[in-house]
Structures are given as C-alpha cells and as structure tokens.
C-alpha cells in the first residue's frame, strides 16, 4: 500500500520546510530519515507523529533509547579536552546505557508515554543537542554551557537513582528483574494505599512542630536569611548546619511558626531523625499524623510508594514542608528517599554535617557579642552587691569563655543564677587556671558534643584530636597541619586535605580559603584553619582520659618559668605541644621525650632558646615553631637540631635567624623547609666549608612566605640539586634570583607570586629542564620572561594574573600543550599567539579581592 505524508525537517536555525514526499515503505523510510538527520544535527518532526514510537522506531523492535544514547556517547568522547563532556557526562551515560538497552527490549510491554520515560527521552535529546553544539560554543560561553551539561548529568543520575525505582513500583518494568513476591507486595500495598482515603481514629500529633518553651535570642538575622531561601521557588531542599548546641532546632522550630511560612505551606511536618534513621517509621508517622491507619511496610521500597501517594494527595490542598531534624552524616541515601519530584514540596534538614547534594546549605554561626550578652543576662541575673563595672567585667570574661555557643551560655548561666559574687569570681578564676567547661560542673555540654566525636571515622578521630595541640583562637595555615599529618600518618597531602574538608563538613573546624594561589602539588598555604575553643576543648578532653605520661598527645603550658611536676618523668607522647608566655626566660628543665615524632612550640617572648632536650628526640620528624608575639623572636640554640636523624620537616614562623643556619645543621633527612614571616638580616654566602648537596641531600621543598626583608636568595639554595619545589611568595623586597638557579635541574614547581619588585627571571632559568609549573602572578614589576623559555618542554602550566606588562619572547611559541591562567588583560598577550602555539589553553579568571586575607594577621 502506498502512503503519502507531510514531513517537516527543521534545522536549529533557520527553519526549512520540505514538500510532500511519497514512498511505499513508510516505517523503514522514517527510520532512515530520523537517524540520518539525527547524525546531521537536525531535528525531525511530523504532523502525525508526536513521539518516538509513532515514528515507527520501536514498534518494530528498533532500539529507541539506546541507539540515540550511543550516538551521544560517541560524539561526546570526541571532545577529550573538555572534561565535563568527555569524562563526567560520558561516565553517567555509560552507566545509563545498559538500562536503556533493557528498556528498548521491552517496547511491547511498556507504555512509552509514562512520565519517567518521557523525561528520560527529553534528557537524552537535550544531551544530544548540547553535545553537537559544543564546537560552536565561544570561550565566553563556556561557563554557561558547563552548567547546562551539569544539569543534564544530574537529570540522568536522577533517572538511575529515583525514576527507575518509581517505574518498578508502578509495575511498568516488571521484567527488569522484579521478583514475583515483590510485584505482589507492591500490588498489595497499592490496594492498601487505596484505603487511605477513608480516615480512621488514630493519633495525629506525631509530626507536629515542637513548641518553644525558652527565650529566643540572636536568631532574628538567621531567621530572615533562612526564610528568604525557603520562600525562593528555585530552592527545593535546604540544609541548616552548625556544630551541636548552636540552636539549629530552635531556629527551624521558630521558622515553622513564622506567619509567612505558615501562610505559604498548608502542611508542615517535623520529624526528628537522629543518628539511627528509620525511613519506614517516619513514613508510618506521617500517615498516622494525617489520619490514616498505620501500615506495616515490608521494605523501604514499599514505604517510598506510600510516601509518594500520601504527598500527591496532600499537595492537592496546598504546598508541603517536610522538616527532618538532626540528620547525621552518611544519611545521603536516606534523604534521597524523601526527594520526590513534586511541585510545591520542599525539604528542610538540620544537621551537624553538610550535605553538598542539597540545593542550599545555610551555616548557622555562633551568637554575636551583643546577642550572647543578652542571653547570658537572661539566664544569670546580676549577683547582689555588685557594682556595674565589676558586673560588666565578669560578664565579658564569661562571654569570652563561652565564645557565642548558646548551649554553653545557657549551662553556665543557669549554674550562676542566684549565686553570690564570690561564686562568679571563683568560676572565672578557675577557668584562668586551666579548668575546662566540658567537665565538672558542666557535664551537659560534653554530653551534647560527645556524639559528634563518636560519629567520626577512626582516621578522622585521630586528626581531630591533633587539633588540640594548637593554641585557642589560632588561625592555622592548612599546610602546617597537613605537613604534620603526612609524617604522622604516612598519607598523601591530597588525602589529608580531604580529611580537613571532612572535619569542616561536620562543623568540627572551619576551613577558610584565602583564594589567591594554586593549591596543587601539596601547596595549601591559601587555606586557614580555625576551630571554636569549645571544640578544641573537646579534642583535649578525649586525650585526658589517660594519665599525662601515657597520652599519645600532650600539651605543656609554661607560665613564666613554672613547670608541672610530671615533666620530670619520661614522657611517652608522640605529639608534644609546648606553649610559653612572654615572661618565659628559656630556662628549661631537662625532659626525657624519646617517642616524640611531632613537636609544636608556641612562644611569645622576644628571645627564645630552643630546649637542649630536643637533641634526645631521635624519632622527631616534624618541628613547628610559631611566635605569637608582635615582632620576630630571636631564636638561639638552633644547633640542637643537628643531631636529629629523622627530622623531615621544619616550619619557622615569625622568628629571626640567619639563612646560613640552615645548611650548617646538615640535616640529611630534611625534606621540607618552611619560613613564614621570618627575619633574616644579612644574607651570608660563606658556605665553602659545607657541601650543601650533601648537607641537605633529601631536601625537596622550600617555602618562603611573607618574609619582608628578603631581597635576594642565598647562593646555597642553588646548590640543593634534590629540590623539586621552590616557593617564594609575598616577599616584596625580592628583586632578583641567582643565575645559578639553573643548576636546579630537578625543579618541577617554581612559585614567585606577589614578589612585586622582581623585574626579570635569570636567563639561566632555561636550565630548569623538569619545570612543569611556573607561578608569577602579581609580580607587578616583571617586565619579561627569559628569551629561551621555550626550551622548557616540560612546562605545562603558567599562572600569571596581573602581569599584563610582561613581555613574552618569541620562543614561548615552542611550548606545546600549555595552560595559562591569567586575568583578562594579560590574556590578550597570549590570545595573539594562539595561531602559532599548539594546544594553547588560556583560562581567564577574575581577580577576587578576598577579605579572608585579613584573618592571617
């Protein structure tokens, strides 16, 4: 039989109509036309065909989904340089591909008009359009294009994780592997769910918002911010995270009682999850709360069906807000079960932890000073016979100790309520003598915080305990912590940085990006780590369960020249922290510390002699010396380090030494030397009696940062042939590098960022044959690169933000596969070279003025 049809072939732009096409084999012709124009980038439409099945594809066994998906995968793999396509999206599509093959094999059993399959088809079509569009994407459109690819990727993952299960529950895909028992269970559940329309007399207060019976102080601002996010139509899931005791539940309870929120959401359900989540029980509670008989679910899949049916019924009466309170880490799969795609349905979670998969994450901060003061005054009335000045002085000392933690303020305030002035004074004095809030007489605070520690993985527990070795209120460079952990735990720096991120996501510390330099290759100077004093106390309390001499970590605080008696005995700790005040005269006791592997020295005096007993620490691997005084401290007795066979990392901050001191120590095991805000005085060159390559034979990394009086490098640095990384950053007086730097043939990373007086790099730089990364960002005085820089064939990345005045020599065109990170103005220097350079990638980045830099000082 002969068929005649009107076919419209639409280009993306412009639209073109093609006239009547007669043919005999209708189905075969449409399949050929469809795939021909699909591969050509066109889109086929038909007046009489509204979906794939009606195109004739699928009704005779053609692979509808998998065929198109295979085409998209093959096309995306062509763009290897663009990882969001060739890696991220392709990996997701390859996971999805066998599922589409199974779906294609069941075309006769399936309804291709079902919602989930329509969405899958649309997603694959969007992916096809996006992939074919990539060659035409301009450089300035890359960011927007990447976000589009990420949305497609997310939708495909959602189908694998959620929509496929919904298809199974509808009994649409029974042949995909559902057993008969499960099919029968789902069918039986559907019949029972149909009975939900008949309410029964059951307990209806299982998911109500808790009533607040305490004073609310300091939550007005976060309440406003949280309400703004929740009322935003683009936000579907929202997490409120903070350390324990900061008032998350109180904030969310008050939010649910807000007139604007109650006016927006017809249904508000509040469920406490805790650290043992039970999805089925929560769904049962939701059913009963809404007047239905309790159902006993045999598995979570049945409960998901019940939840969806309930929500679909409730949303007919108005929007729904589901609050899940106190959700713990590792509950991602639990939360996914609640993330049902329905209009006017939102989820609000409170947690001690972050959940990056959620749309929005709001971090609740400790109370500001005025709010903390108001809360303390509410709980602790002013003692009798106290002058206003004396009362204010006591208040400020107590507030400093509580540091904005609402639960700590409440517990301390209640304990002082109605007590005498002497009791107030006694409490403040006991804290000054070292008593901790987390012990007696305040066990409630420890009970609140302890579960957060107990929930940590073993590796994270060890790392969290180490944080107690640093002073309170200290801003610590992430590199300091990671360097210590590298030697204590034998793991790579990238893994250990991930540990820091994990602790930050659980709100047990704060990771603050400074955001100016690269943090690859183990360079983490651009992150600060801070920790609330109460959380530091928690770390110390865990270590104090053992006697002083048996602890793995030990803190020694010396006021003036007073040592505790236990210092006279052998100390078995592997991590020892010693802190001295500005009155300490460096008169040390002889201490026996044979097992110390990491030593942290915190000093405040202007003159400081290293203790001679360091020479007996034969296992010492890491030494960190930090001066907390205003001016660099003069460091003496440096020679006690020369007898340490295992010392691998030294970090000196805000001390005064001569650079010649370093090679004279002849530390043959030293791997990394860090000098931060140090003063060197005159640079000495007399190293004739020292063979530097032998004295520092294993030194691989030198990091010099914010050393303001460094105007030139000592010659001996050019003799460390083992050196792989040299970082000289924020040293404004540095004007030149030695010509002999070309001797560093193993050097892979050279960072010179923010060396503003540096006018040129020596021509000998061409000798750095293994150099792969050069950072000259913010070297404002740099006028040119070495003429023969093109000889550095291993150089793959240059970072040069704010270097628009730097001349690029012709030889730079010899560099292949080069990636340049720069600002827009500097990028113009490179754009003109693109025709001459093979695979040049110029990544222009906006210059961010990060106020977090102020926290360093």
């Amino acid at each position: 039989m002969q068929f005649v049809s009107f076919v419209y072939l639409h280009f993306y732009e412009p639209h073109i109509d093609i006239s009547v096409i007669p043919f005999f084999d209708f189905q075969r012709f449409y399949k050929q036309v469809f795939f021909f124009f699909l591969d050509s980038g066109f889109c086929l439409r038909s007046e009489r065909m509204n979906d794939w099945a009606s195109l004739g594809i699928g009704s005779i066994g053609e692979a509808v989904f998998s065929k198109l998906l295979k085409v998209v995968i093959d096309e995306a793999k062509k763009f290897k340089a663009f990882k969001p396509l060739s890696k991220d999206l392709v990996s997701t599509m390859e996971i999805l591909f066998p599922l589409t093959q199974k779906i294609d094999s069941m075309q006769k059993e399936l309804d291709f008009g079902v919602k989930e399959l329509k969405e899958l088809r649309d997603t694959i079509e969007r992916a096809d359009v996006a992939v074919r569009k990539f060659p035409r994407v301009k450089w300035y459109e890359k960011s927007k294009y990447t976000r589009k690819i990420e949305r497609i990727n997310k939708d495909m993952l959602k189908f694998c994780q959620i929509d496929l299960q919904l298809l199974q529950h509808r009994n649409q895909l029974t042949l995909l592997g559902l057993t008969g028992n499960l099919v029968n269970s789902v069918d039986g559940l559907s019949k029972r769910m149909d009975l939900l329309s008949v309410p029964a007399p059951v307990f209806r207060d299982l998911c109500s918002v808790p009533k607040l019976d305490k004073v609310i102080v300091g939550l007005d601002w976060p309440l406003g911010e949280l309400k703004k996010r929740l009322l935003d139509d683009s936000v579907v899931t929202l997490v409120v995270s903070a350390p324990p005791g900061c008032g998350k539940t109180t904030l969310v309870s008050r939010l649910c009682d807000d007139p604007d929120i109650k006016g927006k959401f017809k249904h508000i359900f509040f469920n406490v999850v805790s650290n043992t989540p039970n999805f089925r029980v929560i769904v049962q509670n939701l059913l009963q709360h809404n007047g239905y008989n309790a159902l006993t679910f045999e598995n979570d899949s049945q409960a998901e069906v019940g939840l969806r049916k309930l929500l679909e019924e409730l949303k007919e009466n108005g929007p729904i807000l589901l609050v899940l309170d106190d959700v713990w880490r590792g509950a991602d799969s639990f939360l996914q079960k609640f993330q049902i795609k329905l209009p006017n349905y939102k989820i609000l979670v409170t947690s001690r932890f972050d959940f990056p998969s959620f749309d929005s994450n709001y971090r609740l901060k400790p109370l500001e000073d005025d709010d903390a003061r108001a809360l303390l005054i509410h709980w602790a009335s002013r003692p009798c016979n106290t002058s206003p000045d004396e009362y204010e002085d006591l208040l400020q000392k107590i507030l400093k100790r509580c540091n904005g933690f609402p639960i700590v303020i409440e517990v301390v305030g209640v304990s002082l309520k109605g007590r005498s002035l002497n009791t107030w004074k006694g409490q403040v004095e006991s804290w000054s003598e070292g008593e901790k809030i987390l012990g007696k007489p305040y066990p409630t605070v420890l009970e609140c915080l302890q579960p957060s520690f107990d929930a940590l993985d073993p590796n994270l527990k060890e790392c969290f305990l180490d944080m107690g070795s640093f002073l309170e209120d200290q801003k610590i460079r992430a590199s300091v912590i990671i360097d210590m952990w590298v030697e204590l735990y034998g793991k790579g720096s990238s893994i250990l940085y991930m540990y820091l991120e994990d602790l930050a996501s659980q709100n047990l510390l704060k990771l603050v990006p400074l955001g100016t330099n690269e943090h690859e290759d183990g360079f983490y100077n651009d992150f600060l780590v801070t920790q609330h004093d109460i959380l530091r106390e928690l770390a110390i309390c865990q270590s104090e369960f053992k006697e002083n001499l048996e602890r793995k970590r030990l803190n020694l605080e010396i006021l003036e020249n007073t040592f505790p008696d236990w210092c006279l005995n052998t100390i078995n700790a592997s991590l020892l922290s010693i802190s001295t005040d500005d009155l300490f005269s460096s008169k040390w006791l002889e201490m026996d510390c044979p097992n110390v592997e990491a030593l942290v020295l915190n000093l405040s005096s202007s003159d400081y002699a290293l203790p001679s007993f360091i020479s007996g620490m034969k296992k010492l691997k890491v030494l960190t010396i930090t001066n907390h005084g205003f001016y660099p401290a003069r460091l003496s007795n440096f020679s006690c380090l020369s007898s340490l066979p295992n010392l691998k990392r030294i970090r000196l901050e805000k001390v005064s030494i001569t650079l010649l001191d370093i090679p004279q120590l002849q530390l043959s095991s030293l791997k990394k030397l860090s000098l931060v805000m140090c003063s060197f005085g005159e640079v000495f060159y007399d190293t004739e009696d020292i063979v530097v390559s032998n004295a520092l034979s294993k030194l691989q990394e030198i990091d010099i940062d914010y050393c303001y009086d460094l105007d030139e490098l000592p010659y001996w640095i050019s003799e460390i042939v083992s050196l792989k990384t040299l970082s000289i950053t924020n040293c404004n007086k540095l004007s030149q590098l030695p010509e002999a730097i070309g001797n560093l043939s193993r050097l892979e990373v050279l960072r010179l960022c923010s060396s503003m007086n540096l006018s040129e790099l020596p021509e000998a730089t061409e000798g750095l044959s293994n150099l792969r990364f050069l950072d000259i960002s913010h070297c404002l005085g740099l006028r040119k690169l070495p003429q023969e820089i093109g000889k550095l064939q291993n150089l793959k990345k240059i970072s040069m933000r704010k270097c628009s005045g730097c001349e690029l020599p012709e030889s730079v065109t010899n560099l292949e596969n080069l990636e340049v990170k720069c600002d827009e103005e500097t990028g113009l220097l490179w754009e003109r070279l693109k025709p001459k350079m093979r695979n040049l990638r110029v990544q222009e980045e906006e210059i961010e003025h990060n106020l977090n830099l102020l926290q360093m000082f």
Side-chain angles (χ1 to χ4, degrees), residues 558 563 576 578-580 584-591 599-617 620 622-627 633-644 647 649-658 661-662 665 667 673 675:
I558 303 172
F563 288 76
L576 177 61
I578 302 177
S579 302
T580 57
F584 181 62
S585 63
S586 294
K587 294 180 179 178
W588 294 94
L589 290 180
E590 279 302 316
M591 296 169 55
L599 177 62
V600 179
L601 299 177
N602 295 298
L603 57 120
S604 299
S605 51
S606 56
D607 291 280
Y608 188 87
L610 294 180
S612 297
F613 59 75
I614 290 181
S615 61
M617 297 181 179
L620 186 64
V622 184
L623 173 63
T624 298
I625 302 176
T626 304
N627 171 29
R634 289 181 292 274
L635 206 60
S636 58
N637 197 26
F638 213 53
S639 59
C640 69
L641 305 179
S642 60
S643 59
L644 301 176
L647 186 56
R649 295 174 187 259
I650 295 177
R651 186 181 193 275
L652 308 178
E653 181 172 338
K654 207 184 291 186
V655 299
S656 178
I657 60 170
T658 62
D661 291 338
I662 307 298
L665 294 175
L667 296 170
L673 173 66
L675 305 169

Side-chain angles (χ1 to χ4, degrees), residues 71-80 85-86 90 93 131:
V71 171
V72 181
I73 291 172
D74 292 342
E75 190 69 15
K77 284 182 176 180
K78 296 178 182 178
F79 310 110
K80 295 182 179 180
L85 271 184
S86 63
V90 165
M93 291 192 292
V131 170

